[in-house]
Amino acid sequence: MKGQMSSFDVARIVAELRPYIGSHARKSYHPHWEQVVLRLNPKEEPQVDLVIVRGKRVYLSRRDRPMPPNPSAFSMLLRKHLLNGRFVDVRQHGFDRILTLDFDTRDGMRSLVIEMFRDGNVLLLDAEGVIIQPLTNVKYAKRILKRGEIYEFPPAQIDPRTLKIDELKPLLTESDADVVRTLASRANLAGAYAEAVCEIADISTERMAADLDDEEIAAIISGLHSLTEKLDRGTGGLVILAPAAKAPLREAGDNPLALDAVFEEHAREVLPFALPA
C-alpha cells in the first residue's frame, strides 16, 4: 500500500465516511503499534472497520484480520469512551492531513482526531476539546499533545480549493524553484497533483515559477480548480496495483474480503480520481 495520504486523499475519505454517519461504534483494536482499528456498525449493512495506519493513511475495510487476544490500554480506553456511541460527523481540518470524527456517547460528545503527517497520531478528545488520551505523547514548539491538554490544531495550510490568482502570484514570483516544486511546497499540493495542474494548464513542469506570466498563472488557477471540482463531485477512487497482483486478483473474483486483501498488499498508488497523463 502507498505511504502517506495527500490532502486530496483525506478529502475523499471524508466523502467515503459520510454515508456511515449514524453508525454505532463497536470494539476498537490495536493490532500493532502503528495501527488502530475502529469497528462501525451501520444500519442494514455488515460491520466495517475504520483502519488507521499511524502517520500514513485511513481506509475502510471489511477484510477479516487477526486481532490480538489481549487489547492494549489504548484500545481499552477507546472502547470505554466510544463503545455504542453514535457516529455523528466527520471533517477535514482545512485542507490538511487531519481528520476528525465525532461520536455522541453516553458520557457526551467525544472526538477522535487522526493526524497523518510526520509520525502521525490518534487522539481522543472530550466535549471541551481536552485530550483524554493520545496514542503518543508529543511536544512540538507550539503544541503539546498529552493527556489533560487542550488540543490545538497546527497552523492551517493553504487550501488550494479556494486559492485566488492574487494569492498564488506572489507564491510563484518569489520562488527560486520550478513550478512543480513551488506548487508542491507553497500551495499545499502533492507532487502528482502539481504535475497534473501543469498538464491541464499546458505549462512545462520544468518552467521556473518566477518566469510565469499572468496568463499562465491564470491557467494554473483554472487547472487547479478543475481538479478540486473533481474532488468535490466524486466518490470512490482508483487503485494502481503492482504486476504481482494479477494472479491473486483473478483468484479473488468477486469476493469483497479477498479483493480487499489484494488491494492492501499490492496497491502501489491510490488516487481519488484519474489524473491527466
Side-chain angles (χ1 to χ4, degrees):
M1 184 72 80
K2 67 177 283 189
Q4 287 187 322
M5 297 179 80
S6 70
S7 296
F8 279 83
D9 299 327
V10 176
R12 180 50 55 86
I13 198 65
V14 169
E16 293 293 302
L17 280 166
R18 286 204 174 279
Y20 292 95
I21 288 177
S23 302
H24 286 82
R26 294 309 184 204
K27 287 185 176 181
S28 302
Y29 302 91
H30 196 184
H32 46 83
W33 71 273
E34 67 172 8
Q35 190 177 91
V36 175
V37 177
L38 176 62
R39 188 154 291 165
L40 297 174
N41 187 20
K43 291 182 179 179
E44 301 178 357
E45 285 187 45
Q47 293 184 136
V48 62
D49 288 342
L50 177 67
V51 182
I52 304 162
V53 183
R54 192 177 73 160
K56 293 185 177 180
R57 56 190 176 271
V58 174
Y59 61 96
L60 293 165
S61 172
R62 286 194 169 95
R63 181 169 70 87
D64 186 20
R65 65 188 72 235
M67 296 297 180
N70 299 314
S72 69
F74 188 72
S75 62
M76 287 296 291
L77 181 130
L78 291 182
R79 293 181 189 187
K80 174 184 175 182
H81 286 272
L82 300 182
L83 188 63
N84 293 322
R86 190 165 63 91
F87 174 37
V88 295
D89 196 19
V90 57
R91 59 194 175 277
Q92 180 180 18
H93 177 61
F95 201 61
D96 293 347
R97 289 174 292 166
I98 304 175
L99 193 63
T100 301
L101 289 81
D102 293 332
F103 294 86
D104 187 2
T105 78
R106 62 182 180 276
D107 297 318
M109 294 300 298
R110 295 289 184 267
S111 297
L112 196 66
V113 178
I114 306 163
E115 296 187 348
M116 286 168 280
F117 52 86
R118 296 186 180 177
D119 293 329
N121 216 333
V122 182
L123 307 100
L124 182 66
L125 314 182
D126 69 13
E128 306 302 321
V130 175
I131 299 172
I132 297 172
Q133 186 64 47
L135 181 58
T136 305
N137 291 327
V138 183
K139 184 175 182 179
Y140 298 114
K142 296 184 179 180
R143 296 198 305 149
I144 298 175
L145 304 181
K146 70 176 185 179
R147 183 177 181 179
E149 296 284 338
I150 295 287
Y151 177 76
E152 299 283 351
F153 286 103
Q157 302 296 308
I158 287 175
D159 189 341
R161 295 172 296 186
T162 59
L163 196 60
K164 297 179 174 59
I165 291 178
D166 60 348
E167 296 169 326
L168 177 62
K169 186 173 181 177
L171 300 180
L172 296 170
T173 57
E174 296 170 9
S175 172
D176 58 2
D178 63 52
V179 62
V180 169
R181 283 186 291 173
T182 301
L183 290 174
S185 62
R186 298 192 175 195
N188 199 19
L189 289 179
Y193 296 96
E195 291 177 359
V197 167
C198 290
E199 178 69 24
I200 295 170
D202 196 23
I203 293 172
S204 169
T205 57
E206 297 178 358
R207 284 286 302 280
M208 297 302 291
D211 293 339
L212 299 177
D213 59 30
D214 288 351
E215 185 176 340
E216 290 171 317
I217 294 173
I220 286 176
I221 285 288
S222 178
L224 179 57
H225 289 171
S226 73
L227 288 186
T228 58
E229 285 169 7
K230 284 185 179 181
L231 183 64
D232 292 338
R233 287 197 308 265
T235 58
L238 302 173
V239 180
I240 301 172
L241 298 173
K246 189 173 182 179
L249 192 63
R250 186 168 53 249
E251 293 170 4
D254 296 327
N255 185 324
L257 295 179
L259 287 171
D260 192 16
V262 173
F263 293 153
E264 187 167 344
E265 181 177 354
H266 296 286
R268 280 186 171 177
E269 188 72 28
V270 180
L271 299 168
F273 49 80
L275 296 176

